[in-house]
Amino acid sequence: MAQGVHGRRRVGLGETFWQYRDYEPGDPPTSIDWRQTAKSDRVFVRQMEWEAAQSVWCWRDASASMDWRSHNRLPRKRERAELLLLALMILMTRAGEHVTLLGTGMTPSAGRGMLGRFTELLTQEQADRAASLPPMEPLPRSAQVLLLGDFLSPLEEIEKTLRGFAERGVSGHLVQVLAPAEETLPYHGRVRFEGLEGERTWLLSRAEGVRDDYRRRLRAQEDGIAAIARRTGWQCTWHRTDRPPQTALLAVYGALSRQA
Amino acid sequence: MPGLAPLAFLNPWLLVALIGLPALWFLLRVTPPAPRSQRFPAIRLLLGLEPPEQTPARTPWWLLLLRLLAAALLILGLAGPVLHPAGQLGGSGPLVLAIDDGWAAGKDWDARVQQAQALIDRAERENRRVRILTTAQARSDAPQTASDLIRPDAARELIRAIQPKPWPVDYAAAAEVANGLQVTGSAHVVWLSDGLAADGARALAVQLQRLGRLEVLRPQTGRTALTVLPPESTGTTVEVPLRRADGAGQPRYTAVAYDTRGRLVGTAEARFEEGSTQTTARFELPLELRNRIAQVAVEGESHAGAVALLDSRWQRRPVGMVSATPLADAQPLLSELYYLDRALKPYAEVSRGSLDELLQADVAVIALPDRGALPSNQRRRVADWIEAGGVILRFAGPRLADDLTLDGTGGSDADGRDAHSDAATETAAAVTMLETASSTRFVRSTSTPSATKVTRRGIVTVSLPVTSAFTSKAAKSLAGTSPTKNEDSLVAGPAFSPWATATVTLFALVEPPLLALPRISMPVAVSVKPMSVRVMFAGFCTGWSDRGRLRARTRRSPSGAV
């Protein structure tokens, strides 16, 4: 499934055969395909498909809400998101794509050496200064964007961000990483919930009583994200930290390849 | 203090607080538990959610139960429970502990100490003083005493310091000490008995009862001490009798024999029949090993009563008997050696052979029957053998008397010196020596020829032709002497015979080379009667000092000859 450069479905400079066309005056004689010409009375010129490498801008949510895990045996959401992000970047670099991190201002590159630099940048970023949604940045058309995060922000904000990308013709992929407890709300009895990003606390006398309502709300959030992605031509994938990361990796990489 | 059978409380009034538990239960049910704090990233989705019904928050039932249980245990703990309080000490005065610490207490000493500690604990709870009285003497030179009235913690240390003694208890002395005790009020008296009866136990009990209520604690059935009696050496085995006080208890014991250096020589099983109180452990060992046994102990018994010490009495010495003639062997009942053989067999390993063979063999004593004078070459070898540490037991009889009468000199040709010259002096000296040795006065007769020879090698040969009056008296006195009186001499004879003369032949061992040789410790007085032989063994082996005395005596008497 890995191919480095992607055909642009037009004539141009490339290595893959695209079409034969009749010779027209002005074509360089070296472009004539003599073998094909010899088969008939006409003179053919061999044309190649225009090929260019894709540029992918990657981003992961580094906010405090990602720095959490529901169980000691599980990785933190941020760790899992960074793992997926780095794995995808390595895969894409191997496939010859140009990758960079969104928000750093670095130009996309296919060099292996850049991966170390990206890793350093990912681990350095502090949770308290990071936003829950990616910043807007002028991107070239036909660029790809890969976003990883928990996307628990209000749907309007998410839509605004994605629409901002889509208006510039930038499509992309969105991966929601959640801890299992965020999906099942496995708490009992009297619990005081505290947010991680300065939200107010919420005291529940019986946490198990609101489980169904909570799930309904979470489902609505997920459906909302999916709807926004559909409208803006994006794709989205869901991942839980108790599931193996390979599954998510394959799904996301396959989707990216198809998109390209 | 209410005494439930296994449990009692020091502060029972605190149990009233248990009434408060239902109130605590009510309070715990009313108060909701503190909320658990939980960080949660998706809190935005939770905000505004309320559980459908607002039931009062309940403490989980197990938590409630645990708290009530903790409170109940706290109250019980403060009330001071005591397990197995065993009632109260009697009386109002101190606790008097009479402890048997003789040898018999050694077996169960730890259990006894624990019992005493438990009693002292009780005394401490009731805030009483303790007085400790041990029934065995602490030292042989110190009079028996009881401790002062001491505090329980001091008593505990004192108990730890007491060790069972290797000697028996002295109840009479303990009763005297108990008689001298003065206590205020009536004491609670506990006698930690070793379970064995002894003289004066009743007197001590009476004296102890005078002080207050007497309680006697005995060891459990089958836990009384086991004793080992002095072994009996039979022909082939060493038999060690074991005794115990009660018929129950462990049936099987192992007796272990050690030599003088504490090395293991052998083991023997002893098995008590059900209900029987005595048994025997039998050591079947080769002679060399049997002679090395110095100590027999019972395995697993740690007290002095379970150890028996053996000395030379139990050693079997090899004795060689010079067999007279083939004819005598053919008629064993007529043989001169028959009674000697019977007399020696229980105590010594008897072998027979010619004199030459026996001199070669490694025997301690050679018994020489009446054979007349020895040829001079044999005589010299016998002398050498004696000088090297051997003992010759020589019997006189008609043949020897004949030989002496014929040549008139006995065996005096060894030094080529005529014995007639000073026969009278030497005879007198020898008889004096014999008298001293056997505490007997002999009737002297100088009418018949006599010969005495004291060689330079220290062999005293006294040939005494004696009258029948002397013979019977000497025989009687020798037979009647207790073995311990002439323990330092080896006396053979007198042979009482119906015919005319008897001869006393004496070989005494007097020379220093003996010092370097193995101990010959068979002091023996043999009196030969017409139809029986009695062999009496002296109680203990001859000490060096005794031998030295004998030497001095011998040297003093016939000064001219030596």
PDB file of all heavy atoms in Angstrom, chain A residues 68 152 182 187-188 190-194 202 206 217 221, chain B residues 33 36-42 44-45 47 49-50 53:
ATOM      1  N   TRP A  68      -3.799  11.946  30.741  1.00  0.00           N
ATOM      2  CA  TRP A  68      -4.670  11.244  31.684  1.00  0.00           C
ATOM      3  C   TRP A  68      -4.828   9.803  31.251  1.00  0.00           C
ATOM      4  O   TRP A  68      -4.761   9.476  30.073  1.00  0.00           O
ATOM      5  CB  TRP A  68      -6.050  11.937  31.692  1.00  0.00           C
ATOM      6  CG  TRP A  68      -6.963  11.429  32.757  1.00  0.00           C
ATOM      7  CD1 TRP A  68      -6.931  11.757  34.068  1.00  0.00           C
ATOM      8  CD2 TRP A  68      -8.050  10.524  32.591  1.00  0.00           C
ATOM      9  NE1 TRP A  68      -7.918  11.118  34.749  1.00  0.00           N
ATOM     10  CE2 TRP A  68      -8.627  10.354  33.860  1.00  0.00           C
ATOM     11  CE3 TRP A  68      -8.595   9.846  31.512  1.00  0.00           C
ATOM     12  CZ2 TRP A  68      -9.724   9.525  34.079  1.00  0.00           C
ATOM     13  CZ3 TRP A  68      -9.684   9.017  31.729  1.00  0.00           C
ATOM     14  CH2 TRP A  68     -10.237   8.868  33.008  1.00  0.00           C
ATOM     15  N   LEU A 152     -12.897  16.692  22.696  1.00  0.00           N
ATOM     16  CA  LEU A 152     -14.030  16.816  23.604  1.00  0.00           C
ATOM     17  C   LEU A 152     -14.500  18.266  23.680  1.00  0.00           C
ATOM     18  O   LEU A 152     -15.378  18.602  24.480  1.00  0.00           O
ATOM     19  CB  LEU A 152     -13.635  16.311  25.004  1.00  0.00           C
ATOM     20  CG  LEU A 152     -13.337  14.813  25.069  1.00  0.00           C
ATOM     21  CD1 LEU A 152     -12.708  14.439  26.404  1.00  0.00           C
ATOM     22  CD2 LEU A 152     -14.607  14.016  24.865  1.00  0.00           C
ATOM     23  N   GLU A 182     -13.565   6.984  29.762  1.00  0.00           N
ATOM     24  CA  GLU A 182     -14.308   8.109  29.211  1.00  0.00           C
ATOM     25  C   GLU A 182     -15.501   7.621  28.398  1.00  0.00           C
ATOM     26  O   GLU A 182     -16.431   8.367  28.135  1.00  0.00           O
ATOM     27  CB  GLU A 182     -13.381   8.940  28.320  1.00  0.00           C
ATOM     28  CG  GLU A 182     -12.404   9.759  29.130  1.00  0.00           C
ATOM     29  CD  GLU A 182     -11.398  10.460  28.248  1.00  0.00           C
ATOM     30  OE1 GLU A 182     -10.854   9.808  27.335  1.00  0.00           O
ATOM     31  OE2 GLU A 182     -11.157  11.647  28.475  1.00  0.00           O
ATOM     32  N   TYR A 187     -17.811   4.616  37.231  1.00  0.00           N
ATOM     33  CA  TYR A 187     -17.709   5.042  38.622  1.00  0.00           C
ATOM     34  C   TYR A 187     -19.017   4.791  39.353  1.00  0.00           C
ATOM     35  O   TYR A 187     -20.089   4.778  38.766  1.00  0.00           O
ATOM     36  CB  TYR A 187     -17.329   6.527  38.698  1.00  0.00           C
ATOM     37  CG  TYR A 187     -16.062   6.817  37.935  1.00  0.00           C
ATOM     38  CD1 TYR A 187     -16.098   7.499  36.730  1.00  0.00           C
ATOM     39  CD2 TYR A 187     -14.839   6.361  38.407  1.00  0.00           C
ATOM     40  CE1 TYR A 187     -14.937   7.734  36.026  1.00  0.00           C
ATOM     41  CE2 TYR A 187     -13.681   6.590  37.711  1.00  0.00           C
ATOM     42  CZ  TYR A 187     -13.720   7.280  36.508  1.00  0.00           C
ATOM     43  OH  TYR A 187     -12.579   7.495  35.819  1.00  0.00           O
ATOM     44  N   HIS A 188     -18.839   4.565  40.692  1.00  0.00           N
ATOM     45  CA  HIS A 188     -20.001   4.262  41.523  1.00  0.00           C
ATOM     46  C   HIS A 188     -20.080   5.260  42.658  1.00  0.00           C
ATOM     47  O   HIS A 188     -19.063   5.791  43.104  1.00  0.00           O
ATOM     48  CB  HIS A 188     -19.878   2.860  42.131  1.00  0.00           C
ATOM     49  CG  HIS A 188     -19.959   1.773  41.110  1.00  0.00           C
ATOM     50  ND1 HIS A 188     -21.126   1.160  40.759  1.00  0.00           N
ATOM     51  CD2 HIS A 188     -19.003   1.209  40.334  1.00  0.00           C
ATOM     52  CE1 HIS A 188     -20.900   0.275  39.836  1.00  0.00           C
ATOM     53  NE2 HIS A 188     -19.601   0.279  39.557  1.00  0.00           N
ATOM     54  N   ARG A 190     -20.800   8.157  45.449  1.00  0.00           N
ATOM     55  CA  ARG A 190     -20.662   9.603  45.563  1.00  0.00           C
ATOM     56  C   ARG A 190     -19.288  10.002  45.038  1.00  0.00           C
ATOM     57  O   ARG A 190     -18.254   9.697  45.635  1.00  0.00           O
ATOM     58  CB  ARG A 190     -20.780   9.942  47.038  1.00  0.00           C
ATOM     59  CG  ARG A 190     -21.381  11.262  47.338  1.00  0.00           C
ATOM     60  CD  ARG A 190     -21.616  11.313  48.831  1.00  0.00           C
ATOM     61  NE  ARG A 190     -21.326  12.626  49.352  1.00  0.00           N
ATOM     62  CZ  ARG A 190     -22.184  13.643  49.255  1.00  0.00           C
ATOM     63  NH1 ARG A 190     -23.349  13.482  48.679  1.00  0.00           N
ATOM     64  NH2 ARG A 190     -21.857  14.818  49.755  1.00  0.00           N
ATOM     65  N   VAL A 191     -19.268  10.692  43.933  1.00  0.00           N
ATOM     66  CA  VAL A 191     -17.999  11.046  43.297  1.00  0.00           C
ATOM     67  C   VAL A 191     -18.006  12.528  42.970  1.00  0.00           C
ATOM     68  O   VAL A 191     -18.992  13.071  42.462  1.00  0.00           O
ATOM     69  CB  VAL A 191     -17.770  10.231  42.007  1.00  0.00           C
ATOM     70  CG1 VAL A 191     -16.394  10.513  41.444  1.00  0.00           C
ATOM     71  CG2 VAL A 191     -17.951   8.753  42.265  1.00  0.00           C
ATOM     72  N   ARG A 192     -16.898  13.184  43.284  1.00  0.00           N
ATOM     73  CA  ARG A 192     -16.725  14.578  42.873  1.00  0.00           C
ATOM     74  C   ARG A 192     -15.771  14.567  41.690  1.00  0.00           C
ATOM     75  O   ARG A 192     -14.603  14.213  41.829  1.00  0.00           O
ATOM     76  CB  ARG A 192     -16.146  15.398  44.021  1.00  0.00           C
ATOM     77  CG  ARG A 192     -16.056  16.889  43.705  1.00  0.00           C
ATOM     78  CD  ARG A 192     -15.193  17.584  44.738  1.00  0.00           C
ATOM     79  NE  ARG A 192     -15.635  17.329  46.087  1.00  0.00           N
ATOM     80  CZ  ARG A 192     -16.643  17.996  46.671  1.00  0.00           C
ATOM     81  NH1 ARG A 192     -17.261  18.957  46.010  1.00  0.00           N
ATOM     82  NH2 ARG A 192     -16.995  17.714  47.890  1.00  0.00           N
ATOM     83  N   PHE A 193     -16.303  14.957  40.510  1.00  0.00           N
ATOM     84  CA  PHE A 193     -15.475  14.951  39.307  1.00  0.00           C
ATOM     85  C   PHE A 193     -14.776  16.297  39.180  1.00  0.00           C
ATOM     86  O   PHE A 193     -15.370  17.344  39.408  1.00  0.00           O
ATOM     87  CB  PHE A 193     -16.343  14.697  38.077  1.00  0.00           C
ATOM     88  CG  PHE A 193     -16.830  13.276  38.013  1.00  0.00           C
ATOM     89  CD1 PHE A 193     -18.097  12.927  38.455  1.00  0.00           C
ATOM     90  CD2 PHE A 193     -16.005  12.278  37.517  1.00  0.00           C
ATOM     91  CE1 PHE A 193     -18.529  11.627  38.414  1.00  0.00           C
ATOM     92  CE2 PHE A 193     -16.445  10.964  37.471  1.00  0.00           C
ATOM     93  CZ  PHE A 193     -17.715  10.642  37.912  1.00  0.00           C
ATOM     94  N   GLU A 194     -13.501  16.237  38.833  1.00  0.00           N
ATOM     95  CA  GLU A 194     -12.721  17.455  38.635  1.00  0.00           C
ATOM     96  C   GLU A 194     -12.157  17.437  37.231  1.00  0.00           C
ATOM     97  O   GLU A 194     -11.640  16.408  36.778  1.00  0.00           O
ATOM     98  CB  GLU A 194     -11.572  17.512  39.643  1.00  0.00           C
ATOM     99  CG  GLU A 194     -12.029  17.625  41.075  1.00  0.00           C
ATOM    100  CD  GLU A 194     -10.909  17.323  42.053  1.00  0.00           C
ATOM    101  OE1 GLU A 194      -9.774  17.122  41.591  1.00  0.00           O
ATOM    102  OE2 GLU A 194     -11.194  17.287  43.251  1.00  0.00           O
ATOM    103  N   TRP A 202     -17.865  18.887  39.569  1.00  0.00           N
ATOM    104  CA  TRP A 202     -19.254  18.420  39.508  1.00  0.00           C
ATOM    105  C   TRP A 202     -19.425  17.238  40.445  1.00  0.00           C
ATOM    106  O   TRP A 202     -18.727  16.240  40.333  1.00  0.00           O
ATOM    107  CB  TRP A 202     -19.614  18.022  38.082  1.00  0.00           C
ATOM    108  CG  TRP A 202     -21.071  17.706  37.910  1.00  0.00           C
ATOM    109  CD1 TRP A 202     -21.603  16.487  37.671  1.00  0.00           C
ATOM    110  CD2 TRP A 202     -22.144  18.617  37.977  1.00  0.00           C
ATOM    111  NE1 TRP A 202     -22.943  16.566  37.573  1.00  0.00           N
ATOM    112  CE2 TRP A 202     -23.327  17.885  37.765  1.00  0.00           C
ATOM    113  CE3 TRP A 202     -22.233  20.012  38.191  1.00  0.00           C
ATOM    114  CZ2 TRP A 202     -24.586  18.480  37.768  1.00  0.00           C
ATOM    115  CZ3 TRP A 202     -23.494  20.580  38.174  1.00  0.00           C
ATOM    116  CH2 TRP A 202     -24.652  19.828  37.975  1.00  0.00           C
ATOM    117  N   ARG A 206     -24.750   9.770  42.953  1.00  0.00           N
ATOM    118  CA  ARG A 206     -24.650   8.381  42.491  1.00  0.00           C
ATOM    119  C   ARG A 206     -24.176   8.421  41.057  1.00  0.00           C
ATOM    120  O   ARG A 206     -24.945   8.664  40.134  1.00  0.00           O
ATOM    121  CB  ARG A 206     -26.000   7.675  42.588  1.00  0.00           C
ATOM    122  CG  ARG A 206     -26.434   7.426  44.024  1.00  0.00           C
ATOM    123  CD  ARG A 206     -27.772   6.740  44.043  1.00  0.00           C
ATOM    124  NE  ARG A 206     -27.684   5.414  43.457  1.00  0.00           N
ATOM    125  CZ  ARG A 206     -28.658   4.864  42.731  1.00  0.00           C
ATOM    126  NH1 ARG A 206     -29.750   5.543  42.502  1.00  0.00           N
ATOM    127  NH2 ARG A 206     -28.525   3.662  42.262  1.00  0.00           N
ATOM    128  N   ARG A 217     -24.563  11.489  25.587  1.00  0.00           N
ATOM    129  CA  ARG A 217     -23.881  12.731  25.226  1.00  0.00           C
ATOM    130  C   ARG A 217     -22.598  12.458  24.451  1.00  0.00           C
ATOM    131  O   ARG A 217     -22.277  13.159  23.495  1.00  0.00           O
ATOM    132  CB  ARG A 217     -23.528  13.514  26.497  1.00  0.00           C
ATOM    133  CG  ARG A 217     -24.691  14.251  27.082  1.00  0.00           C
ATOM    134  CD  ARG A 217     -24.183  15.215  28.108  1.00  0.00           C
ATOM    135  NE  ARG A 217     -25.253  15.960  28.721  1.00  0.00           N
ATOM    136  CZ  ARG A 217     -25.045  16.971  29.540  1.00  0.00           C
ATOM    137  NH1 ARG A 217     -23.814  17.328  29.827  1.00  0.00           N
ATOM    138  NH2 ARG A 217     -26.050  17.624  30.060  1.00  0.00           N
ATOM    139  N   GLN A 221     -21.529  13.585  20.691  1.00  0.00           N
ATOM    140  CA  GLN A 221     -20.277  14.270  20.353  1.00  0.00           C
ATOM    141  C   GLN A 221     -19.607  13.578  19.177  1.00  0.00           C
ATOM    142  O   GLN A 221     -19.190  14.201  18.207  1.00  0.00           O
ATOM    143  CB  GLN A 221     -19.358  14.258  21.575  1.00  0.00           C
ATOM    144  CG  GLN A 221     -17.976  14.795  21.343  1.00  0.00           C
ATOM    145  CD  GLN A 221     -17.900  16.296  21.510  1.00  0.00           C
ATOM    146  OE1 GLN A 221     -18.889  16.933  21.880  1.00  0.00           O
ATOM    147  NE2 GLN A 221     -16.747  16.879  21.191  1.00  0.00           N
TER     148      GLN A 221
ATOM    149  N   PRO B  33     -21.183   9.281  53.345  1.00  0.00           N
ATOM    150  CA  PRO B  33     -19.730   9.176  53.259  1.00  0.00           C
ATOM    151  C   PRO B  33     -19.148  10.339  52.456  1.00  0.00           C
ATOM    152  O   PRO B  33     -19.839  10.931  51.628  1.00  0.00           O
ATOM    153  CB  PRO B  33     -19.520   7.851  52.544  1.00  0.00           C
ATOM    154  CG  PRO B  33     -20.752   7.673  51.740  1.00  0.00           C
ATOM    155  CD  PRO B  33     -21.873   8.291  52.516  1.00  0.00           C
ATOM    156  N   ARG B  36     -15.816  10.661  46.853  1.00  0.00           N
ATOM    157  CA  ARG B  36     -14.519  10.305  46.304  1.00  0.00           C
ATOM    158  C   ARG B  36     -14.163  11.329  45.245  1.00  0.00           C
ATOM    159  O   ARG B  36     -15.032  11.781  44.486  1.00  0.00           O
ATOM    160  CB  ARG B  36     -14.614   8.916  45.663  1.00  0.00           C
ATOM    161  CG  ARG B  36     -13.356   8.130  45.608  1.00  0.00           C
ATOM    162  CD  ARG B  36     -13.715   6.642  45.733  1.00  0.00           C
ATOM    163  NE  ARG B  36     -14.858   6.359  44.867  1.00  0.00           N
ATOM    164  CZ  ARG B  36     -14.723   6.026  43.569  1.00  0.00           C
ATOM    165  NH1 ARG B  36     -13.535   5.978  43.011  1.00  0.00           N
ATOM    166  NH2 ARG B  36     -15.784   5.743  42.848  1.00  0.00           N
ATOM    167  N   SER B  37     -12.927  11.712  45.208  1.00  0.00           N
ATOM    168  CA  SER B  37     -12.525  12.703  44.217  1.00  0.00           C
ATOM    169  C   SER B  37     -11.991  11.988  42.987  1.00  0.00           C
ATOM    170  O   SER B  37     -11.221  11.044  43.110  1.00  0.00           O
ATOM    171  CB  SER B  37     -11.447  13.595  44.833  1.00  0.00           C
ATOM    172  OG  SER B  37     -11.228  14.677  44.000  1.00  0.00           O
ATOM    173  N   GLN B  38     -12.399  12.415  41.818  1.00  0.00           N
ATOM    174  CA  GLN B  38     -12.009  11.731  40.591  1.00  0.00           C
ATOM    175  C   GLN B  38     -11.713  12.760  39.511  1.00  0.00           C
ATOM    176  O   GLN B  38     -12.563  13.573  39.157  1.00  0.00           O
ATOM    177  CB  GLN B  38     -13.137  10.799  40.146  1.00  0.00           C
ATOM    178  CG  GLN B  38     -12.905  10.144  38.818  1.00  0.00           C
ATOM    179  CD  GLN B  38     -11.728   9.170  38.881  1.00  0.00           C
ATOM    180  OE1 GLN B  38     -11.660   8.336  39.772  1.00  0.00           O
ATOM    181  NE2 GLN B  38     -10.794   9.307  37.957  1.00  0.00           N
ATOM    182  N   ARG B  39     -10.517  12.737  39.002  1.00  0.00           N
ATOM    183  CA  ARG B  39     -10.197  13.608  37.862  1.00  0.00           C
ATOM    184  C   ARG B  39     -10.747  12.969  36.602  1.00  0.00           C
ATOM    185  O   ARG B  39     -10.646  11.761  36.418  1.00  0.00           O
ATOM    186  CB  ARG B  39      -8.680  13.769  37.755  1.00  0.00           C
ATOM    187  CG  ARG B  39      -8.104  14.681  38.827  1.00  0.00           C
ATOM    188  CD  ARG B  39      -6.636  14.376  39.032  1.00  0.00           C
ATOM    189  NE  ARG B  39      -5.845  14.634  37.841  1.00  0.00           N
ATOM    190  CZ  ARG B  39      -5.400  15.846  37.490  1.00  0.00           C
ATOM    191  NH1 ARG B  39      -5.685  16.883  38.243  1.00  0.00           N
ATOM    192  NH2 ARG B  39      -4.692  16.024  36.413  1.00  0.00           N
ATOM    193  N   PHE B  40     -11.297  13.795  35.730  1.00  0.00           N
ATOM    194  CA  PHE B  40     -11.987  13.229  34.569  1.00  0.00           C
ATOM    195  C   PHE B  40     -11.909  14.214  33.411  1.00  0.00           C
ATOM    196  O   PHE B  40     -12.414  15.343  33.517  1.00  0.00           O
ATOM    197  CB  PHE B  40     -13.445  12.951  34.935  1.00  0.00           C
ATOM    198  CG  PHE B  40     -14.135  12.049  33.965  1.00  0.00           C
ATOM    199  CD1 PHE B  40     -13.701  10.741  33.776  1.00  0.00           C
ATOM    200  CD2 PHE B  40     -15.212  12.499  33.222  1.00  0.00           C
ATOM    201  CE1 PHE B  40     -14.342   9.919  32.882  1.00  0.00           C
ATOM    202  CE2 PHE B  40     -15.854  11.672  32.323  1.00  0.00           C
ATOM    203  CZ  PHE B  40     -15.410  10.373  32.157  1.00  0.00           C
ATOM    204  N   PRO B  41     -11.286  13.836  32.318  1.00  0.00           N
ATOM    205  CA  PRO B  41     -11.116  14.804  31.217  1.00  0.00           C
ATOM    206  C   PRO B  41     -12.440  15.197  30.564  1.00  0.00           C
ATOM    207  O   PRO B  41     -12.622  16.355  30.163  1.00  0.00           O
ATOM    208  CB  PRO B  41     -10.228  14.068  30.225  1.00  0.00           C
ATOM    209  CG  PRO B  41      -9.667  12.913  30.965  1.00  0.00           C
ATOM    210  CD  PRO B  41     -10.620  12.573  32.042  1.00  0.00           C
ATOM    211  N   ALA B  42     -13.339  14.246  30.467  1.00  0.00           N
ATOM    212  CA  ALA B  42     -14.579  14.531  29.721  1.00  0.00           C
ATOM    213  C   ALA B  42     -15.631  15.131  30.631  1.00  0.00           C
ATOM    214  O   ALA B  42     -16.815  14.832  30.502  1.00  0.00           O
ATOM    215  CB  ALA B  42     -15.083  13.246  29.080  1.00  0.00           C
ATOM    216  N   ARG B  44     -16.800  17.972  30.723  1.00  0.00           N
ATOM    217  CA  ARG B  44     -17.744  18.882  30.063  1.00  0.00           C
ATOM    218  C   ARG B  44     -19.044  18.158  29.717  1.00  0.00           C
ATOM    219  O   ARG B  44     -20.115  18.719  29.766  1.00  0.00           O
ATOM    220  CB  ARG B  44     -17.107  19.433  28.787  1.00  0.00           C
ATOM    221  CG  ARG B  44     -17.743  20.685  28.247  1.00  0.00           C
ATOM    222  CD  ARG B  44     -17.092  21.062  26.943  1.00  0.00           C
ATOM    223  NE  ARG B  44     -17.172  19.985  25.957  1.00  0.00           N
ATOM    224  CZ  ARG B  44     -18.249  19.723  25.236  1.00  0.00           C
ATOM    225  NH1 ARG B  44     -19.340  20.454  25.370  1.00  0.00           N
ATOM    226  NH2 ARG B  44     -18.259  18.751  24.360  1.00  0.00           N
ATOM    227  N   LEU B  45     -18.867  16.881  29.415  1.00  0.00           N
ATOM    228  CA  LEU B  45     -20.062  16.110  29.065  1.00  0.00           C
ATOM    229  C   LEU B  45     -20.878  15.759  30.298  1.00  0.00           C
ATOM    230  O   LEU B  45     -22.049  15.412  30.196  1.00  0.00           O
ATOM    231  CB  LEU B  45     -19.657  14.826  28.349  1.00  0.00           C
ATOM    232  CG  LEU B  45     -18.838  15.014  27.073  1.00  0.00           C
ATOM    233  CD1 LEU B  45     -18.493  13.671  26.461  1.00  0.00           C
ATOM    234  CD2 LEU B  45     -19.622  15.850  26.088  1.00  0.00           C
ATOM    235  N   LEU B  47     -21.184  17.804  33.027  1.00  0.00           N
ATOM    236  CA  LEU B  47     -21.758  18.982  33.675  1.00  0.00           C
ATOM    237  C   LEU B  47     -23.250  19.053  33.397  1.00  0.00           C
ATOM    238  O   LEU B  47     -23.687  18.866  32.263  1.00  0.00           O
ATOM    239  CB  LEU B  47     -21.069  20.256  33.173  1.00  0.00           C
ATOM    240  CG  LEU B  47     -19.603  20.408  33.615  1.00  0.00           C
ATOM    241  CD1 LEU B  47     -18.996  21.666  33.028  1.00  0.00           C
ATOM    242  CD2 LEU B  47     -19.509  20.410  35.118  1.00  0.00           C
ATOM    243  N   LEU B  49     -25.434  17.002  34.402  1.00  0.00           N
ATOM    244  CA  LEU B  49     -26.143  15.730  34.539  1.00  0.00           C
ATOM    245  C   LEU B  49     -26.472  15.493  36.005  1.00  0.00           C
ATOM    246  O   LEU B  49     -25.655  15.753  36.886  1.00  0.00           O
ATOM    247  CB  LEU B  49     -25.267  14.590  34.029  1.00  0.00           C
ATOM    248  CG  LEU B  49     -25.131  14.448  32.527  1.00  0.00           C
ATOM    249  CD1 LEU B  49     -24.269  13.244  32.184  1.00  0.00           C
ATOM    250  CD2 LEU B  49     -26.505  14.285  31.902  1.00  0.00           C
ATOM    251  N   GLU B  50     -27.656  15.002  36.293  1.00  0.00           N
ATOM    252  CA  GLU B  50     -28.044  14.682  37.671  1.00  0.00           C
ATOM    253  C   GLU B  50     -28.573  13.256  37.668  1.00  0.00           C
ATOM    254  O   GLU B  50     -29.246  12.840  36.729  1.00  0.00           O
ATOM    255  CB  GLU B  50     -29.154  15.628  38.148  1.00  0.00           C
ATOM    256  CG  GLU B  50     -28.677  17.032  38.433  1.00  0.00           C
ATOM    257  CD  GLU B  50     -27.803  17.116  39.673  1.00  0.00           C
ATOM    258  OE1 GLU B  50     -27.758  16.128  40.436  1.00  0.00           O
ATOM    259  OE2 GLU B  50     -27.149  18.157  39.873  1.00  0.00           O
ATOM    260  N   GLU B  53     -32.805   9.676  40.638  1.00  0.00           N
ATOM    261  CA  GLU B  53     -33.478   9.763  41.937  1.00  0.00           C
ATOM    262  C   GLU B  53     -32.466  10.205  42.981  1.00  0.00           C
ATOM    263  O   GLU B  53     -31.298   9.789  42.953  1.00  0.00           O
ATOM    264  CB  GLU B  53     -34.114   8.424  42.341  1.00  0.00           C
ATOM    265  CG  GLU B  53     -33.180   7.410  42.930  1.00  0.00           C
ATOM    266  CD  GLU B  53     -32.639   6.477  41.862  1.00  0.00           C
ATOM    267  OE1 GLU B  53     -32.431   6.935  40.708  1.00  0.00           O
ATOM    268  OE2 GLU B  53     -32.426   5.300  42.179  1.00  0.00           O
TER     269      GLU B  53
END
